[in-house]
Amino acid sequence: MQCVDTTQLLKGVLDLAVLAVVGDEDGYGYDVLRRLRAGGLTEVGDASIYGTLRRLYGAGALTSYVVPSDEGPHRKYYGITPAGRDQLERQTKDWLTFSETVTDLLRTDSPDCPQGARS
Amino acid sequence: MTTTAPRRTTLEIAAFVDEVRTQLANLHPAERDELLDGLEADLTEQQADGAVRTDLGDPRAYAVELRLAAGLPEPTRRLPRLPRRARLQVPRMDSVERLLDCSHVLFRGAVDAQAWRRATWEVVTELRSAWWVARAWLLVTLLDVVAGHSEPVSVIPSLGHPLVGPAVFAVAVLVSVLVGLGRLWPGSGADRPVASRVALLVVNIVAVVTPLTFSIPNPGYINDNDPYADGSDPYSAGYRDAQLEGQAEARQPGLHVGAKEVTNVFVYGPGGQPLAGVQLFDQDGEPISVPSTSSTGRGLDRQVPCPSYNGTTPLFNVFPLDQVQLRRDYCTPETMGRNAPTLPLAEVPPLN
């Protein structure tokens, strides 16, 4: 889906998702993309992910190195930096708090929601 | 793993990448390469997988999305027409802010990389309060140096007035600490306005650089054991006195005994009687003269010496000199009203 609006919406969360994937294990562009898709982020365009990798690298949250290979092209791998790890931790906390707040808001707003019963 | 659309060949992938590259033509070549590095390989691999995407899509849209995600500027023809000043300011502020943020992130990254660096940084951050006080002192002292006379640098900047200095210094310390804590402008955290961050950075740099321009007074008095350190030893004292005398003489030519100016000489003979017309010479045969331009008193009380004359030559070494009262100028041969001066001592004891 090439919808630019979605890209704008997901931009903040995309940072978090990309950092989480790279933090888990270093990867090159398509590798990261594959893992994100496997994780369920199917709505985001490829270009957004590549661009995000580049932006995070530029901001110092990711580092990069080239791994030569005899068969096929050299791959540029991305890894997470300590600053990136800090950002990941911080943004994870923020996201969890935020999503909890929004979820609570939604639950109280619709009292007939099946999951709604709050104690 | 079924595909309904035909597989793209490597040629088509290459064409796609080329088109995207063209769309990114306004970027710096290095930036562009970084962005597209490995894209071709990735797309090829994607095709090999076949699972995710079979249609490459529109390269223009791809390029737009890539730019957006990477936070890069769009091609200029797509920029909305901003008023001239806004168009100049906005990108600059943005890049300055990014520079500050990037520098901060890089620095933290470098510090966090190793345990000893983290420990050192912890100690340094503990000294922040000392820096705030030092910053206030440096800036007030700079003000003192710039505004005042060339006083030596002192522990409490004086600002030319005994009460003003410490008061200003105390206020400066307070302000510096509050700014450092973030209670006062510009606040704390990463969402401070860029101009404030840059301004604070400039203030800090000025505070660090100014000590290099101070002239610290020679702390010789600190050294208790060195007898020559404070200049009170006989050698230094004598030298200093001679210097003063020499300076005094250079400023005021004439007759001095020590620092006292002599305007007339009264001579008494061995029997104690006052003598007149005495010609005085020093050990080199030079006349001991009162300068022709000497005077005492002002206005109606002004007295100038009148010389004796050898022909037309005035002699100021013949004592005691006559005096005349003149409001200005000096005694000439035509001047009327010259008198012999009053003897300071009517008589002196005769010598044996």
Side-chain angles (χ1 to χ4, degrees), chain B residues 97-118:
Chain B
E97 190 162 5
R98 281 190 65 189
L99 179 68
L100 289 174
D101 287 335
C102 287
S103 314
H104 182 67
V105 166
L106 286 172
F107 180 71
R108 290 311 316 250
V111 162
D112 291 342
Q114 299 193 2
W116 68 267
R117 287 188 203 173
R118 279 197 296 273

Side-chain angles (χ1 to χ4, degrees), chain B residues 127-142 157 169 172-173 176-177 203-204 206-208 210-211 214:
Chain B
L127 296 174
R128 283 191 311 167
S129 18
W131 163 243
W132 296 332
V133 175
R135 171 169 70 183
W137 183 87
L138 286 166
L139 291 174
V140 175
T141 305
L142 177 66
F169 179 51
V173 167
S176 178
V177 168
V203 166
N204 280 333
V206 166
V208 167
T210 44
F214 293 163

Side-chain angles (χ1 to χ4, degrees), chain B residues 135-332:
Chain B
R135 171 169 70 183
W137 183 87
L138 286 166
L139 291 174
V140 175
T141 305
L142 177 66
L143 190 67
D144 193 12
V145 166
V146 164
H149 323 290
S150 51
E151 301 171 326
V153 168
S154 55
V155 171
I156 306 236
S158 60
L159 285 177
H161 192 280
L163 289 178
V164 171
V168 170
F169 179 51
V171 169
V173 167
L174 187 64
V175 168
S176 178
V177 168
L178 287 176
V179 168
L181 284 174
R183 299 275 172 84
L184 210 55
W185 171 94
S188 184
D191 52 356
R192 294 172 288 178
V194 180
S196 308
R197 290 170 74 181
V198 171
L200 191 58
L201 194 59
V202 167
V203 166
N204 280 333
I205 289 172
V206 166
V208 167
V209 164
T210 44
L212 303 174
T213 65
F214 293 163
S215 51
I216 313 287
N218 184 356
Y221 58 84
I222 291 174
N223 190 344
D224 290 345
N225 295 327
D226 182 359
Y228 292 98
D230 63 349
S232 64
D233 60 290
Y235 177 79
S236 304
Y239 186 74
R240 209 173 32 240
D241 285 345
Q243 256 193 329
L244 282 171
E245 256 182 51
Q247 284 171 351
E249 282 232 324
R251 272 198 300 266
Q252 308 162 29
L255 218 45
H256 291 86
V257 171
K260 180 177 167 183
E261 190 182 1
V262 171
T263 55
N264 218 336
V265 180
F266 296 87
V267 188
Y268 296 79
Q273 75 286 21
L275 302 177
V278 176
Q279 305 177 66
L280 294 184
F281 294 88
D282 69 11
Q283 70 274 16
D284 299 319
E286 300 287 335
I288 299 176
S289 308
V290 166
S292 56
T293 54
S294 72
S295 65
T296 50
R298 289 176 160 285
L300 285 172
D301 297 324
R302 186 166 172 272
Q303 301 272 343
V304 294
C306 287
S308 310
Y309 288 91
N310 180 9
T312 51
T313 315
L315 298 171
F316 280 91
N317 68 328
V318 181
F319 293 99
L321 291 165
D322 285 341
Q323 288 178 321
V324 69
Q325 191 278 316
L326 288 174
R327 290 192 71 160
R328 58 174 190 277
D329 295 330
Y330 300 99
C331 194
T332 64

Side-chain angles (χ1 to χ4, degrees), chain B residues 58-103:
Chain B
D58 180 14
R60 274 196 299 273
Y62 194 93
V64 168
E65 199 180 332
L66 196 54
R67 272 180 197 283
L68 225 51
L72 293 167
E74 293 175 312
T76 43
R77 66 173 178 273
R78 296 211 193 145
L79 269 178
R81 290 213 155 265
L82 295 169
R84 189 183 177 81
R85 203 189 316 163
R87 204 191 306 148
L88 283 176
Q89 273 186 1
V90 168
R92 196 158 16 111
M93 281 309 207
D94 188 48
S95 58
V96 167
E97 190 162 5
R98 281 190 65 189
L99 179 68
L100 289 174
D101 287 335
C102 287
S103 314

Side-chain angles (χ1 to χ4, degrees), chain A residues 1-2 4 7-8 11 28-30 33-34 37 44-52 54-55 57-61 73 75-76 78 82-83 86, chain B residues 31 34-35 37-39 41-43 45-46 49 52-53 56-58 61-62 64-66 68-71 98 101-102 105-106 108-109 112-113:
Chain A
M1 183 155 106
Q2 302 284 357
V4 170
T7 308
Q8 293 281 32
K11 193 170 170 197
Y28 59 91
Y30 180 54
L33 194 147
R34 202 171 24 207
R37 295 252 187 271
V44 186
D46 301 355
S48 299
I49 295 170
Y50 288 129
T52 301
R54 179 84 196 107
R55 186 165 39 84
Y57 170 75
R75 290 299 199 174
K76 177 150 79 168
Y78 289 97
D86 272 348
Chain B
E31 181 76 50
E34 290 270 8
L35 219 41
D37 201 16
L39 176 61
D42 282 1
L43 286 173
E45 195 170 335
Q46 223 169 318
D49 269 1
V52 181
R53 179 183 295 279
L56 285 170
D58 180 14
Y62 194 93
V64 168
E65 199 180 332
L66 196 54
L68 225 51
R98 281 190 65 189
D101 287 335
C102 287
V105 166
L106 286 172
R108 290 311 316 250
D112 291 342

